[in-house]
Amino acid sequence: MKLYIFSVLFALLVLSATAALPKKQVIITYPSDTPDSVLDEAKLAITSAGGIITHEYELIKGFAVKASVKILDKVHELSSDFRPIIEEDSIVTASS
């Protein structure tokens, strides 16, 4: 019983620690020849660390996320053959 209580408290501590990290809204894109498994691995790493995938793109290999800088650094290092481009998500306008 003590082990169960300790495990639950530890899990809550980890969740609160990751929730406290500042999150950035970014777009992550990959080269067009990147296998889907690389994208799936990156998305799993982001969601496992408490990040949120806000949009998945269909025309390009990429997705928008809200995640901590720490996990974004990890995603950048996941694949040495298919490096993602991680850029801040922002509103773009065209003015005349």
Side-chain angles (χ1 to χ4, degrees):
M1 183 69 173
K2 288 182 182 180
L3 180 61
Y4 174 76
I5 293 172
F6 177 74
S7 298
V8 170
L9 290 175
F10 182 74
L12 289 173
L13 177 67
V14 170
L15 285 174
S16 65
T18 57
L21 293 174
K23 299 192 188 262
K24 291 177 69 174
Q25 183 78 27
V26 298
I27 296 174
I28 301 174
T29 56
Y30 285 86
S32 60
D33 61 339
T34 304
D36 289 339
S37 61
V38 173
L39 276 78
D40 293 340
E41 183 181 7
K43 289 187 260 186
L44 180 61
I46 290 166
T47 56
S48 296
I52 301 168
I53 297 174
T54 58
H55 187 77
E56 294 187 43
Y57 299 105
E58 295 179 16
L59 295 176
I60 58 172
K61 291 215 175 205
F63 46 92
V65 302
K66 188 171 186 179
S68 69
V69 175
K70 185 176 180 181
I71 191 61
L72 295 175
D73 290 340
K74 181 180 177 186
V75 166
H76 192 266
E77 299 301 321
L78 281 176
S79 175
S80 59
D81 295 331
F82 303 100
R83 292 281 183 186
I85 297 172
I86 301 175
E87 55 190 325
E88 292 216 25
D89 194 2
S90 61
I91 297 173
V92 178
T93 60
S95 57
S96 54

